[in-house]
Amino acid sequence: MCISLGSWIPSKMFPIRLHMLLLAFLFGQGLAMSREERHKLRDQVVEMFDHAYQNYMDHAYPADELMPLTCRGRVRGLEPSRGDVDDALGKFSLTLIDTLDTLVVLNKTVEFEAAVRRVLKDVKLDNDIVVSVFETNIRVLGGLLGGHSMAIMLKKRGERMLWYQDELLHMAKELGHRLLPAFNTSSGLPYPRVNLKHGVGGPESRTGTETDTCTACAGTIILEFAALSRFTGDPVFEVHARRALDFLWEKRQRNSNLVGTTINIHSGEWVRRDSGVGAGIDSYYEYLLKAYVLLGDDLFLQRFNIHYASIMKYISQPPLLLDVHIHKPLLPARTWMDSLLAFFPGLQVLKGDIRPAIETHEMLYQVTKKHNFLPEAFTTDFRVHWAQHPLRPEFAESTYFLYKATGDPYYLEVGRTVLDNLNRYARVPCGFAAMKDVRTGSHEDRMDSFFLAEMFKYLFLLFADTEDLPFDVEDYIFTTEAHLLPLSLSVAPSSAATLGNATSEGEVDDTNFDWTCPNTRLLFPDPAYPRNLRDPIRSAVDKSCPRPLPYREPGMGRAPLRAQDFMANNPEHLELLRRMGVSLIHLKDGRVQLVQHATQAVSAVAAEDGMRFMQEMMELSSQQQKEQLPPRAIQIVSHPYFGRVVLTAGPAQFGTDLSKSSTGVRGFVTVAEPYSGCSELTNGDFVQGRIALLQRGQCMFAEKARHIQRAGAIGGIVIDDNEGSSSDTAPLFQMAGDGRSTDDVHVPILFLFHKEGNILLRALKEYREVEVLLSDKARDRGVALPEEVNNCVTHKTTPSLAGPGDKVQTSTVELDISEAAAADEGRAGEDDAGSPGETAGPSEPQESSRTEPSDEGEEPEPEGEVPEGAAPEGDDAPSGSSSSQSVDELMADWQEDLDAFQQMDEEEL
């Protein structure tokens, strides 16, 4: 049978109603979860929400977001810039506004009324600040409209908000007018950013120079703007949102019916032509279908169905969803997936296409179980590509909708897993902290507003009974930020001008439209059917660890030389390289440089072999450098943290290798005297048996290690003296030796940037006795974390990337085959005797904010940051390297892949 989305849905909306299976299906994998157990989990969700919300109110409000590790608010301009991520912050108490309707869903109507009063009293929308149009629309405008929807619902019931006179709606209308200047373009696509006070254009606004925006940024406006128009009776907002959607539709690739990721807002040219359902595009598709649900306009369903048919033809490879090129949709555009596509199974449920939703969701669940959370990006063979997890809610969203559609208790167990992992790995004393690295369990001082707006809302709805809710959720639709808009808006007055852009009949192929409600009796004739879909996927993720072979033209035989087999001292290999046009140059520091001149190959086939060899070498280099330089974890295990705070730390090239220790090193910390650690310690008796805290500077890292070791310390933590440095913005690096043998150093030494070090120093100042665990990955209250998804064996020789060759068809790779690599000079007065240091590996990228990539070029690396790789002691360490610059040039062909998360590019490379 079909469960109605609400009594206000027009008759044509029957095909997209949610579906419930027969009761027998509830026993597909055994007995259903008991009512008591569900209620226990429901109550746990409420307790976790209280922990996050109350800490925001106590420690952060009226700031936009909570910084849960340092227990303070994030105020834009007072914290180091995170680039585009900060465009969501507008000094308008973002988290509180984003959380308004969640309070009502969780039956916290008293808190909701108090929160509305705070918003009306404290929030200003005319701040002289540049914000993301996309983020401000979905979080702030959507939050105000969701809050207004809840307020009028409660007022009509006579329970609460009897004083309410549409104040939130008036604020929403003011904000809508402040966003409208962004739509003043010839195409109708909005500028990506707007100044809340000055609009767009002119020196005061600091906007209007952008030329590009992401598809999701321009196509995720219609729900909020149309709702604002229909609530207020002013059609201008809906008109502009429809115009942007019309333009995107006109610019789709007509053969594939796909859209690209980034578009020029003036010319309509596709800047990035890769197409998927994840970052940069995701909510564009979501809003086409949901606009049909909310507004009752067949046009939106027609467009969605045309797009959806192409998605299922080209992008969906169950259980995978892979990006393709819009002009060549049979050609994959990248070999990894981003976590934002986790919303798509939920959208497929709304569409009524349950089978692929089950398959993709199961793949995501298996990856989640391996890593505790979905990595920000992961490869098609399920290895970590980008290791962050900013507490994204999309997987929980799809879990809720699949349970809603199937009634399968399996999805309740999935929800339990999500809850347990949040409590075990992300919960900290001041809230919940984003994961800096899912492999180590280290944290980032970040709790985005969407965590409160979405995660707890979907989890509560998953475990709650109908009578637990203060209203009928079927009368509302969820925006992409999970804000609730009433379906009654479908019959609200609308200007005729907003409905005049129908797709011409010549463009519409009615055979593509699915107007029918799937019969779940036929879809699931066997109660075990969903399990049969899931089991093969579980096996595939568990067993997958392949290294794909390089592409080879048919009939050309096996590749003459694989990158992982290459040895620089093998004459046979050198001859093969010569025939492929690849020459080897010995550098002074013991490395060798590979340079390919395609014109010097013995044949065109050999030149192609050489190019593939160089590409494979670059891939091998990137992967092995990443594996060679994993971050380490410093976990505060004493009261009141109890292992809940984990700091990202850099390793040393000397001392105990924590990756080879199953237990790590655990001990109380104390500050060394002198703090620099550059001479014999004067508090040696107190340092003995403890982990010494040291300040960076004045001498080499190895010298510090020797001094604390002689004092009897069991480990050391070096804290950066560069105020404001943070692992959030600076790439990780290895601490190098001092030019002589470091075999005598056996204590483990880790490095913390200034921000993370201050967290530890503050804890020591407040609690005096602070115990930490130094390890390769965080432990769960003394219990080791599960292993990674894969334990792939990798080649031990690590090539490093260098500058490009001097001709157009030239590739260059440097290989570090020396036993030691060069350490640069330290600052004045330091030991400048250096030995070669190991070459750098790529660090993990910085998180992007929600769906949209940056609309500008790469953000320059902040001055004063230390490049990843072997770093000398002292502030005079170089802030960049030719190696890191050359990667951009050598990997230019892959740039479109990397652009999807523009904020991640620089650290990734």
Side-chain angles (χ1 to χ4, degrees), residues 554-598:
M556 291 195 177
R558 65 183 294 273
L561 181 62
R562 300 293 306 280
Q564 61 261 40
D565 299 328
F566 171 69
M567 290 187 295
N569 58 355
N570 186 319
E572 221 176 283
H573 291 179
L574 296 179
E575 174 59 20
L576 287 172
L577 292 186
R578 185 193 67 77
R579 295 180 61 81
M580 293 188 295
V582 179
S583 57
L584 184 146
I585 302 171
H586 289 274
L587 304 177
K588 290 181 180 179
D589 60 6
R591 292 178 296 168
V592 295
Q593 185 181 65
L594 297 177
V595 182
Q596 192 211 17
H597 299 268

Side-chain angles (χ1 to χ4, degrees), residues 20-32 354 358 405-411 520-535:
M20 186 71 74
L21 292 179
L22 295 176
L23 182 63
F25 181 74
L26 294 173
F27 302 90
Q29 287 192 312
L31 294 176
I354 306 295
I358 291 174
T406 67
D408 190 342
Y410 179 83
Y411 296 108
T520 53
R521 297 169 189 263
L522 299 178
L523 187 61
F524 301 114
D526 177 3
Y529 178 71
R531 186 176 71 243
N532 294 335
L533 294 178
R534 293 191 292 255
D535 285 347

Side-chain angles (χ1 to χ4, degrees), residues 373-376 387-392 434-436 438 455 847:
F373 301 98
L374 267 185
E376 192 74 329
Q388 298 81 8
H389 174 75
L391 306 181
R392 294 202 186 276
M435 306 307 296
K436 182 71 176 176
V438 297
M455 181 70 82
E847 291 85 351

